[in-house]
């Protein structure tokens, strides 16, 4: 330990007040400025902030938002769950349900923390005593020991000795910790179970009353060689008497055809660009007029504007044909060492014509069948019975699962051999483990900034300077680490999204669920576990060795570190909620990239893509929200808990309205996951509950209340049992449609057994009679590789 290095009491709230005030000022400056800019730009830039409302038919039923500065907020608040389902689908409903559940849960916990736990903590933990005015009960470290009738508790460089009788008298408040550990665990499980039942009811009602080609189609994998044809698969399934087969699409090795279609798109874009250059580009002023419609237009006026935009998009390019024709350089000869310039339009047009002839011929060829097929049944019950049954006694053969939507399929991966997909999956998994070790370096460095003693060991002058400048010290020790960690949470998902797409999954829905899993692993392990348990790089190896020798020390170390990082995580949640969520509403990335993309746009296709709604990816936003949920639970009982619960509640309130606006009005989500993210959310919340119980057991044990600590331990196996119970009881209903939930097409209130449905729908929810969002999306679609049929 460096000389002149003083430790601070982590349970004393006054130690972090300066840091929290500085972080609050920084977050307010960021958040308020972003929110004000959004409110100014929203009515003026509808092509971005109302892109989904303008382009998606499913959003027509949503109310128009007023153009006033704050007038849009009450209208957004009044949008019902039924309207969310109708316009954004089940995935959006499930995502927002998590935020609503968290608001209710943490609202109750915050009230209890303020009314009960805060007075208890103030009386027993913060109360000054002679000899130690800051803290009467220093936290025990891993070297706690009993000697000669006294209890020696080591914390940092100090050793404090107390009489055991006095210690036993003072730790009676820890029984309140035990009681509230049980109560908050039960409360969290109650809300989780209640919300799961609501989601199941809505999901079964929603999916049971619609009829899409996806709802009637199974994905059949592991098909043996003797069955790899449409007729044989149809004959096999109909012999099982599950139902009639309407259509079979055997996936074949279309690699060569797909490559030609990709090349065709490349040539087509080059030809369009050459033609646009020849006709002349519009000025930026004309472009702004086209892409920024009248903010007061709606209804028929908006449709007329859209038509006018399309006319402008085409006609504004027309100039005199006397312009010189563009050229392109081509390379030829031995090793392509010779080159010459040719007419670009003629060159790409001829290349496109020749390639089209090859594609027409390629579509007529027969390709080798793969072990994968999409089978469309004549009814939804037949499909559900097929996917919920074992079709073949051989392992890994004729496995049936629900098919993804046709537009969701990654056709290039359908003809990848299973072995290739497995190799890709394991390779990327190993790579992510290596990345996890790599992330330890920057995370440990950031953790070092939280400790002035560590800074003094590395840079004594900086530590001395920070001691004399409290505001700069708060910015360096708290503001900088929280900002960098938050930026990592924004940047790392892009990398994991790329890696998930490289794994060879069949559908984009599976990719997105994989991104959620990968990003949560990063945020939970690197931002919470490593940051909390190991701290600085200098402590990493000793702590790891101690943990491997005695796993119980992990609980002690976790409990000891959690308290010291309370201010950091308070500031982290503060920055996420007040500072960064308004930037998500502003869509800062799209706004900053728009001028660059605008300057690079030349063709009508470029302009059309420029005004498409941005994609909303749950894997980018959900893991951070789950981490904050876990932090709120872990700190809920501790002295700083009321503060973390307050800012956590604030995060989920702001997040609910931010993401509600984006999902309904600004951003699109084309995947067809039908709410399957909910079990993933619940399992990760249960991990958080397990950490909460482990921390409380370690914390109570550190204060020598071993009986109370031992009584916390049964909660851990109970939580594990509940996860298995959840998997057996509720998870199947989040993956399949119960046969009794399926409605007759001529009467949506009667199921296939001619019985009235007894589903208790959530308050305010009524099944809409028009077509669902999925039915609109899949109208006219078939399970056919687009390379075979696209014009």
């Amino acid at each position: 330990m460096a000389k002149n290095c003083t430790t601070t009491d982590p349970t004393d709230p006054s130690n972090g007040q300066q840091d929290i005030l500085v972080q609050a000022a920084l977050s307010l400056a960021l958040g308020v400025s972003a929110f004000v800019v959004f409110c100014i730009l929203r009515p003026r830039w509808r092509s971005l902030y109302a892109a989904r409302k303008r382009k998606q038919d499913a959003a027509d039923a949503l109310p128009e938002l007023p153009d006033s500065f704050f007038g849009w907020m009450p209208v957004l608040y009044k949008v019902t769950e039924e309207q969310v389902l109708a316009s954004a689908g089940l995935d959006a409903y499930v995502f927002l349900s998590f935020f609503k559940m968290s608001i209710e849960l943490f609202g109750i916990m915050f009230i209890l923390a303020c009314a009960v736990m805060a007075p208890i903590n103030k009386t027993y933990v913060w109360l000054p005593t002679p000899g130690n005015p800051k803290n009467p009960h220093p936290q025990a470290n891993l070297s706690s020991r009993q000697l000669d009738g006294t209890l020696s508790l080591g914390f940092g460089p100090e050793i404090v000795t107390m009489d055991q009788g006095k210690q036993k008298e003072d730790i009676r408040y820890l029984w309140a910790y035990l009681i509230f550990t049980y109560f908050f665990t039960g409360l969290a499980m109650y809300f989780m179970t209640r919300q799961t039942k609501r989601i199941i009811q809505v999901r079964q009602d929603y999916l049971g009353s619609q009829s899409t080609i996806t709802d009637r189609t199974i994905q059949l994998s592991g098909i043996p060689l003797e069955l790899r044809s449409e007729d044989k698969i149809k004959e096999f399934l109909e012999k099982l008497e599950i139902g009639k087969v309407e259509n079979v699409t055997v996936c074949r090795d279309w690699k060569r055809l797909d490559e030609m279609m990709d090349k065709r798109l490349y040539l087509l874009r080059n030809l369009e660009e050459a033609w646009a250059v020849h006709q002349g580009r519009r000025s930026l002023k004309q472009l702004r007029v086209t892409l920024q419609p009248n903010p007061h237009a709606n209804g028929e006026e908006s449709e007329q504007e859209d038509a006018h935009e399309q006319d402008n998009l085409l006609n504004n390019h027309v100039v005199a044909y006397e312009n010189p024709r563009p050229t392109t350089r081509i390379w030829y000869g031995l090793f392509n060492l010779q080159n010459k310039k040719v007419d670009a339009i003629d060159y790409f047009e001829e290349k496109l014509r020749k390639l089209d002839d090859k594609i027409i011929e390629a579509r007529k060829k027969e390709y080798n069948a793969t072990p994968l097929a999409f089978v469309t049944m004549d009814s939804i019950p037949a499909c559900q019975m097929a996917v919920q049954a074992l079709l073949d006694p051989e392992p890994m053969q004729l496995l049936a699962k629900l098919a993804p939507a046709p537009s969701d399929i990654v056709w290039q991966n359908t003809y990848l051999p299973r072995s290739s997909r497995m190799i890709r999956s394991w390779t990327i998994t190993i790579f992510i483990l290596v990345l996890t070790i790599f992330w330890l370096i920057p995370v440990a460095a950031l953790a070092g900034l939280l400790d002035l003693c560590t800074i003094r060991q590395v840079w004594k002058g900086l530590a001395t300077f920070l001691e004399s400048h409290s505001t700069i010290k708060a910015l360096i020790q708290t503001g900088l680490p929280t900002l960098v960690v938050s930026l990592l949470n924004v940047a790392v998902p892009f990398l994991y999204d790329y890696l998930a797409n490289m794994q060879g999954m069949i559908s984009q829905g599976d990719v997105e669920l994989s991104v959620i899993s990968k990003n949560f692993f990063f945020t939970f392990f690197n931002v919470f576990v490593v940051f909390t348990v190991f701290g600085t790089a200098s402590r990493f190896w000793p702590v790891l060795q101690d943990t491997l020798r005695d796993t119980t020390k992990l609980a002690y170390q976790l409990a000891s570190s959690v308290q010291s990082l309370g201010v950091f995580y308070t500031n982290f949640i503060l920055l996420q909620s007040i500072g960064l969520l308004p930037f998500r509403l502003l869509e800062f990335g799209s706004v900053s990239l728009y001028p660059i993309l605008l300057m690079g746009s030349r063709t009508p296709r470029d302009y059309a893509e420029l005004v498409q709604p941005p994609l909303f990816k749950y894997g980018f936003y959900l893991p951070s929200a789950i981490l904050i949920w876990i932090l709120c639970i872990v700190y809920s009982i501790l002295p700083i808990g009321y503060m973390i619960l307050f800012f956590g509640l604030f995060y989920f309130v702001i997040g609910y309205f931010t993401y509600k606006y984006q999902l309904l009005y600004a951003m699109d989500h084309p995947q067809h996951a039908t709410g399957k993210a909910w079990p993933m959310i619940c399992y990760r919340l249960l991990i958080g509950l397990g950490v909460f119980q482990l921390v409380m057991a370690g914390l109570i044990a550190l204060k020598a209340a071993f009986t109370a600590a031992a009584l916390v331990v049964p909660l851990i196996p109970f939580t594990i049992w509940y996860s298995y119970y959840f998997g057996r009881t509720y998870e199947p209903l989040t993956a399949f449609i119960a046969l009794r939930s399926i409605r007759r097409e001529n009467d949506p209130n009667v199921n296939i057994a001619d019985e009235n449905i007894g589903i208790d729908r959530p308050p305010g929810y009524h099944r809409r009679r028009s077509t669902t969002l999925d039915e609109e999306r899949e109208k006219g679609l078939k399970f056919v590789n687009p390379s075979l049929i696209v014009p």
Side-chain angles (χ1 to χ4, degrees):
M1 182 67 64
K3 293 181 180 180
N4 301 324
C5 184
T6 57
T7 58
T8 57
D9 174 24
T11 64
D12 185 358
S14 63
N15 288 324
Q17 284 182 358
Q18 177 72 16
D19 293 348
I20 294 174
L21 288 175
V22 170
Q23 185 69 70
L26 178 64
S27 300
L28 281 171
L30 290 172
V32 172
S33 60
F35 181 75
V36 170
V37 172
F38 168 76
C39 290
I40 294 172
L41 292 180
R42 186 187 63 83
R44 293 171 173 79
W45 206 344
R46 289 177 176 267
S47 59
L48 177 65
Y49 295 120
R52 191 171 183 275
K53 177 68 174 173
R54 290 171 56 81
K55 299 295 180 182
Q56 298 290 328
D57 293 337
D60 289 343
L62 293 173
E64 290 287 343
L65 298 181
D67 291 340
S68 56
F69 202 83
F70 296 115
W72 58 276
M73 298 176 70
V75 179
L76 179 66
Y77 172 77
K78 293 177 182 178
V79 175
T80 63
E81 290 184 344
E82 183 180 4
Q83 289 174 306
V84 172
L85 275 170
S87 61
L90 273 170
D91 292 322
Y93 172 80
V94 166
F95 182 77
L96 295 176
S97 292
F98 169 60
F99 279 78
K100 287 191 68 175
M101 179 196 75
S102 302
I103 292 170
E104 295 175 358
L105 172 63
F106 294 135
I108 294 174
M109 291 176 66
F110 172 67
I111 293 173
L112 292 174
C114 291
V116 182
M117 290 310 303
I120 291 175
N121 284 321
K122 184 175 182 180
T123 302
Y124 290 96
V125 181
W126 305 342
L127 185 64
T129 58
N132 186 8
K134 282 292 183 186
N135 183 15
H137 309 307
Q139 305 304 305
N141 65 6
L142 297 181
S143 62
S144 299
R145 58 195 181 275
Q146 270 188 312
L147 295 172
D148 301 328
T150 62
L151 183 67
S152 297
L153 303 176
F155 189 72
E158 304 175 13
I159 298 293
V160 181
T161 304
M162 290 180 290
D163 181 78
Q164 283 190 20
K166 178 65 176 175
Q167 174 72 4
K168 289 180 180 179
E169 179 183 350
D170 289 340
I171 64 174
R172 289 178 299 178
Y173 75 95
L174 293 174
W175 289 99
Y177 278 31
L178 171 66
I179 293 171
F180 271 87
T181 302
Y182 271 83
F183 181 73
F184 283 169
T185 297
L187 194 65
M189 288 185 176
Y190 166 75
F191 274 97
M192 196 185 308
T193 305
R194 189 187 70 166
Q195 196 64 37
T196 300
K197 291 180 178 179
R198 289 165 61 94
I199 288 173
I200 287 174
Q201 290 167 358
V202 171
R203 186 179 186 276
Q204 295 289 319
D205 194 33
Y206 183 89
L207 296 179
S209 59
Q210 72 176 14
S211 179
T212 69
I213 188 171
T214 302
D215 296 322
R216 295 184 289 111
T217 304
I218 64 174
Q219 177 184 314
L220 195 63
S221 58
I223 303 173
L225 282 170
E226 62 272 14
L227 288 179
R228 292 182 189 177
S229 73
E230 285 78 0
D231 294 336
K232 290 180 180 179
I233 292 175
K234 181 177 180 180
E235 181 183 0
F236 164 75
L237 287 174
E238 289 185 344
K239 281 183 178 179
L240 296 179
E241 298 183 356
I242 297 175
K244 295 293 182 181
V245 175
E246 188 176 283
N247 183 60
V248 179
T249 299
V250 176
C251 296
R252 301 179 183 274
D253 189 0
W254 294 302
K255 183 177 181 180
R256 176 59 182 157
L257 180 59
D258 287 338
E259 288 175 348
M260 286 193 290
M261 291 299 295
D262 291 339
K263 185 177 180 181
R264 184 186 190 279
L265 180 60
Y266 170 77
L267 291 174
L268 182 61
R269 283 185 173 273
N270 277 278
L271 178 58
E272 289 174 346
E273 185 174 336
W275 185 251
V277 170
H278 175 56
Q279 290 187 325
R281 292 186 59 186
R282 293 175 297 170
S283 67
L284 289 179
K285 183 177 180 180
Q286 289 173 313
L287 183 60
R288 291 191 190 100
V289 170
T290 299
L291 295 182
Q292 295 182 4
N294 180 4
H296 301 287
N298 51 42
E300 295 180 0
E301 294 179 6
S302 181
E303 293 178 5
Q304 292 173 1
E305 277 188 355
D306 289 339
H308 180 61
E309 285 182 17
Q310 294 175 5
D311 292 339
N312 285 343
L313 205 58
L314 297 173
N315 297 334
N316 281 356
H317 281 282
V318 177
V319 295
Y321 277 87
E322 289 78 10
N323 282 355
R325 291 169 69 87
T327 60
T328 186
R329 187 179 299 275
I330 63 171
W331 297 82
Y332 64 96
L334 185 64
F335 302 116
N336 285 334
L337 294 178
Q338 295 177 281
N339 68 86
K340 64 179 180 179
K341 285 187 176 181
V342 298
D343 185 286
I345 295 176
D346 290 341
Y347 174 75
F348 289 120
E349 195 174 36
E350 181 63 17
K351 294 277 287 186
L352 191 63
R353 185 190 63 79
K354 290 180 178 180
L355 185 59
D356 281 349
D357 292 339
K358 291 180 181 179
I359 291 173
I360 291 171
E361 291 300 320
R363 287 178 172 179
K364 298 176 182 177
K365 294 181 180 179
E366 281 291 328
Y367 297 92
N368 295 329
T370 68
L372 182 70
F374 295 102
V375 183
T376 302
M377 309 299 290
D378 66 335
S379 66
I380 298 176
C383 174
Q384 290 294 321
M385 284 189 285
V387 297
Q388 297 181 47
L390 295 174
L391 303 183
D392 196 271
E394 289 292 326
M396 307 302 293
Q397 187 166 289
L398 293 173
L399 304 176
K401 60 181 290 189
L402 291 171
S407 59
D408 201 27
I409 297 174
V410 184
W411 289 98
Q412 289 83 354
N413 293 337
T414 58
Y415 45 74
L416 277 179
R418 178 180 175 82
S419 59
S420 177
R421 288 201 296 268
M422 292 293 292
I423 291 172
R424 286 190 182 195
S425 179
W426 279 107
T427 302
I428 289 174
T429 300
I430 294 171
F431 180 67
I432 288 176
L433 291 176
V434 174
L435 271 180
T436 301
I437 298 173
F438 168 78
W439 293 129
L440 294 178
I441 300 172
V443 170
L446 285 173
L449 291 176
L450 302 178
D451 185 11
L452 196 61
C453 299
T454 305
I455 297 176
R456 186 179 298 280
Q457 291 175 354
V458 178
W459 191 353
K460 185 177 180 181
L462 177 61
T464 304
F465 175 78
L466 294 179
E467 282 183 330
S468 58
H469 297 80
S470 58
T471 302
I472 298 177
K473 175 177 176 288
L475 285 173
I476 296 295
Q477 286 197 275
T478 305
L480 181 60
T482 54
L483 182 60
V484 174
V485 168
S486 299
L487 291 176
L488 274 177
N489 281 341
V490 172
V492 170
F494 287 96
L495 172 61
Y496 285 164
D497 181 63
Y498 171 77
L499 293 175
N501 277 282
M502 294 298 293
Q503 283 188 276
M505 296 180 185
I506 301 298
S507 73
Q508 284 296 332
D510 292 337
V511 170
E512 186 162 52
L513 294 177
S514 176
V515 174
I516 293 173
S517 179
K518 289 176 172 61
N519 285 333
F520 174 77
F521 175 74
F522 166 77
T523 56
F524 178 72
F525 183 77
N526 289 96
V527 177
F528 178 72
V529 176
V530 174
F531 220 94
T532 304
V533 178
F534 301 113
T536 62
S538 61
R539 292 175 51 198
F540 175 77
W541 183 245
V543 171
L544 183 61
Q545 286 180 315
D546 290 341
T547 302
L548 292 176
R549 282 196 297 265
D550 184 0
T551 54
T552 58
K553 290 186 177 180
L554 178 64
Y556 288 108
Q557 181 63 35
L558 188 62
S560 179
S561 299
V562 157
Q563 286 198 102
S564 62
L565 289 172
V567 173
F568 168 76
Y569 284 125
T570 302
N571 291 330
F572 174 74
I573 299 173
L574 184 59
L575 179 63
Q576 289 284 325
S577 58
I578 300 177
L580 298 184
L581 275 176
F583 273 92
R584 295 202 186 279
L585 195 64
L586 182 62
E587 295 182 48
F588 182 75
S590 298
V591 172
S592 58
L593 288 176
Y594 186 85
I596 300 173
L597 297 174
L598 186 60
M599 288 187 291
S601 298
R602 295 188 176 185
T603 68
R605 188 189 302 272
D606 294 335
Y607 296 131
E609 291 175 351
L610 192 62
V611 295
Q612 289 299 310
L615 295 183
F616 189 95
K617 296 187 176 182
Y618 296 109
F620 283 44
Y621 311 125
L622 194 52
S624 295
I626 296 175
L627 175 65
I628 290 175
W629 193 97
I630 292 174
L631 291 174
C632 291
I633 286 288
V634 168
Y635 281 94
S636 57
I637 299 176
L638 301 184
I640 204 170
Y642 73 98
M643 203 176 297
I644 285 186
L645 284 172
F646 174 75
F647 291 126
L649 180 62
F650 208 68
Y651 170 85
F652 284 103
V653 170
I654 297 177
Y656 176 77
F657 288 102
T658 297
Y659 294 129
K660 187 177 184 180
Y661 177 86
Q662 289 186 321
L663 284 166
L664 296 181
Y665 289 93
M667 305 180 77
D668 194 21
H669 179 253
Q671 276 69 47
H672 186 276
T674 63
K676 290 180 183 176
W678 182 252
M680 296 184 68
I681 295 173
C682 291
Y683 286 130
R684 281 145 185 81
L685 299 187
L686 290 173
I687 291 174
L689 285 177
V691 172
F692 166 58
Q693 295 150 12
L694 193 65
V695 167
M696 296 312 302
L699 183 65
I700 295 173
L702 280 174
K703 299 186 179 183
F706 298 112
T707 302
L711 291 176
V712 175
V713 175
L715 275 177
I716 299 175
F718 174 76
T719 304
I720 296 173
W721 169 84
Y722 180 83
S723 68
Y724 284 104
Y725 170 79
F726 181 91
R728 293 194 313 268
T729 307
Y730 300 115
E731 191 173 2
L733 290 169
T734 63
F736 306 112
I737 307 174
L739 298 181
R740 190 168 175 265
S741 297
I742 301 171
R743 312 288 200 280
R744 290 186 175 276
E745 292 186 10
N746 56 355
D747 190 350
N749 294 316
V750 178
N751 68 358
I752 58 174
D754 289 330
E755 297 177 358
N756 289 327
I757 294 295
I759 292 180
D760 297 323
R761 299 182 179 89
Y765 174 75
H766 303 285
R767 172 72 182 93
R768 70 173 193 159
R769 298 187 179 277
S770 59
T771 57
T772 65
L773 177 65
D774 298 328
E775 289 172 327
E776 287 287 345
R777 284 175 175 173
E778 298 178 29
K779 191 177 295 182
L781 293 182
K782 296 180 180 179
F783 281 88
V784 180
N785 187 346
S787 297
L788 294 169
I789 59 173
V790 69

